Amino acid sequence: MNMLSSLLKQHQAKQQVRKDKQEKKKKEAIVASTALTHALVDHLNGGVAQAYVNQKKLDTETKILQANAGQFSKQTIQWLKLVEDFNTSLKELGDVENWARSIETDMRTISSALEYAYRKTE
């Protein structure tokens, strides 16, 4: 019976060693999976943080672009007004030129009539 008892103790010792190895491997697997999870979360958080920074930059650039577009629009309206005023001035100059020609023609007619009348009286 002593031999049976000895075999039983050996068997139990081997089982305990296997159990201890399994427990150790289980703990190592938990540590490794925890490390992997942390690494994945850190990587994901880094990507999210970068996306947030990029979004902020885009928002800032969009606001600057909107301000510049508004300023350009105002400037364009001013330029259009200047061109319109210039065209109106050119038109008025043309009208003045036509008026001056008309007056000149009338004056020549009057001058010719006066010369003719003066010659008749001589």
Side-chain angles (χ1 to χ4, degrees):
M1 202 133 205
N2 216 354
M3 188 160 157
L4 190 57
S5 172
S6 155
L7 282 174
L8 181 62
K9 282 183 182 182
Q10 264 184 331
H11 176 69
Q12 286 175 344
K14 284 181 183 178
Q15 275 189 333
Q16 188 61 41
V17 168
R18 277 190 207 140
K19 191 175 178 184
D20 290 345
K21 282 182 182 178
Q22 278 184 331
E23 191 63 32
K24 183 180 176 187
K25 289 191 185 236
K26 180 180 172 184
K27 285 179 182 177
E28 288 172 358
I30 289 172
V31 168
S33 67
T34 301
L36 176 64
T37 302
H38 284 301
L40 290 173
V41 168
D42 288 346
H43 180 70
L44 182 61
N45 284 343
V48 169
Q50 187 61 48
Y52 179 77
V53 167
N54 290 345
Q55 183 63 42
K56 281 295 187 188
K57 285 181 184 176
L58 282 173
D59 289 346
T60 302
E61 292 296 322
T62 300
K63 287 177 185 173
I64 291 169
L65 181 62
Q66 285 175 337
N68 288 343
Q71 190 174 14
F72 180 71
S73 177
K74 286 178 186 175
Q75 193 171 30
T76 302
I77 289 169
Q78 289 174 344
W79 289 344
L80 288 173
K81 175 83 169 95
L82 286 173
V83 168
E84 187 179 318
D85 290 348
F86 181 70
N87 282 338
T88 302
S89 296
L90 284 178
K91 202 178 206 182
E92 289 171 358
L93 278 176
D95 291 346
V96 168
E97 187 179 0
N98 286 337
W99 175 77
R101 280 189 192 144
S102 176
I103 295 272
E104 183 182 8
T105 303
D106 290 348
M107 293 307 248
R108 284 189 183 167
T109 303
I110 292 170
S111 175
S112 294
L114 287 173
E115 279 182 38
Y116 179 74
Y118 181 70
R119 279 189 209 146
K120 282 278 193 186
T121 58
E122 284 185 355

